[in-house]
Amino acid sequence: MQIFYSIDGNEGEFVVCYNPNRVWNPVRVEGKAFLLGIFQINCMLFLQVKYLVAKEVKLEMRNKYALGGILLYVVSTIFVSYLSFKQIINPATWNALFWIILLFASINGVAKSFLNETRGKLLYLYTLVSPQAVILSKIIYNSLLLIVLSGLCLFVYSVFIGNIIQDLSLFLLTLLLGSIGFSSLLTMVSAIASKTSNNFTLMAILSFPIMVPLLMVLIKLSRNAIDGLENWDLNYLMVLVFLNIIIIALSYLLFRYLWRD
Amino acid sequence: MKKNWWKIIAVLFVLYTIIAGFLFKVPAQPILHETIRNLYFHVPMWFSMMTILFVSLWHSIKGLSNSNIESDIVASQAAHTGMLVGALGLITGSLWAKYTWGAWWVADTKLNGAAITMLIYLAYFVLRGSIDEEQKRARIAAVYNIFAYVMLIVFLMILPRLSDSLHPGNGGNPGFNQYDLDSNMRLVFYPAVIGWILLTVWIFTLRVRLEKIKRKTLIDE
């Protein structure tokens, strides 16, 4: 089996062949062969990502306490808010509380994606797969996790605090895009924070300010959904999609500089 | 001397801004009155901040591609200088807001943007402080800087266009170009922008030199 990588993108045409006998030999490839190489890189990337996501899911299923802990965190936070607020009718308060709960739950849920990885395990991964595959698989896995998490959050929240959403489909769309955005941003920040000494505190400090643009758009859209505006605000939706694409593209491009130790 | 002509321009323009800014005729406007002169000080601060933060971003990208420690020094010092002018922009803006809007701080997208900019770069300094190894710090801080700058651009450039603001030229408010019909203010405003930006760049180059000397003496010891 041969796996093709382009290294660093500096030279562009340099492709590294990964041999079964584990020798890294850079080969200059041009023209058709280069295009073929790019195609193979993408194929391999897809396969690697698929494999890594399956691995993450398998690991999570093997140790259900972590997942259960995060889900319980959401439920108990909502229950505590229920005990102090009872029912919330004011849309602004309802919206703010919902997103604050989801924000903290997401940070807790995603933080472990890199902070809990042992150095040896990461080193092993890095000898086998490309860095892009690692970050993409983590983003996809965390997106799945956050979609489940936000779905549960919405369900429990509307049961206890009350459901005042008038346009559920827009709210669900916002929640879906928000989960993807949160997961990609937090995965990247978690990768950055895992390189420092006091990583859990830093995770919060680093992620809050850069999450604000995303959060503002989400809050605006979900407020529209709660108020049940007749026309969807396509400008904000477009900004949200655009933000997701930018965050994922940046993670894809920048992650390889993080893992080189 | 040949290399320093822009420093002379910076000093002359800033001096001109201070003298002309306080003495020249300005359009008489209700609410604004004489505080309209703050235009020459408050607005160029944000121009300078965005310029110097862009320099920081540029050197972060350069630092990632050539893994040179010098790019890291330049990027971090540019961010420090950016915070300095950003703080000045906040102070002048806060004073202006007190006189025209009646409060030191109001809920406004541009004000939120300024606050978030400060928070992002303070987080950048905390991140830098928490990594000891020089090469590693350079790389990780550069990654965060690039990531943060792009999110900041979205926050400062795109979101304010989608919502209202109390600032002139936004949300149906007239911009300053409508007050300044005889272009008298432009005569001061454009030199002010150039002067403040050049002065900021000068402060930044001095900081870079100082930082390099500090590191050098550390190595020598």
Side-chain angles (χ1 to χ4, degrees), chain A residues 139-153:
Chain A
I139 286 176
I140 291 170
Y141 171 70
N142 283 328
S143 301
L144 293 176
L145 179 75
L146 286 195
I147 288 167
V148 172
L149 194 71
S150 54
L152 180 85
C153 187

Side-chain angles (χ1 to χ4, degrees), chain A residues 93-105:
Chain A
T93 322
W94 193 97
N95 202 10
L97 190 66
F98 179 81
W99 284 107
I100 289 172
I101 291 173
L102 196 57
L103 175 69
F104 278 89

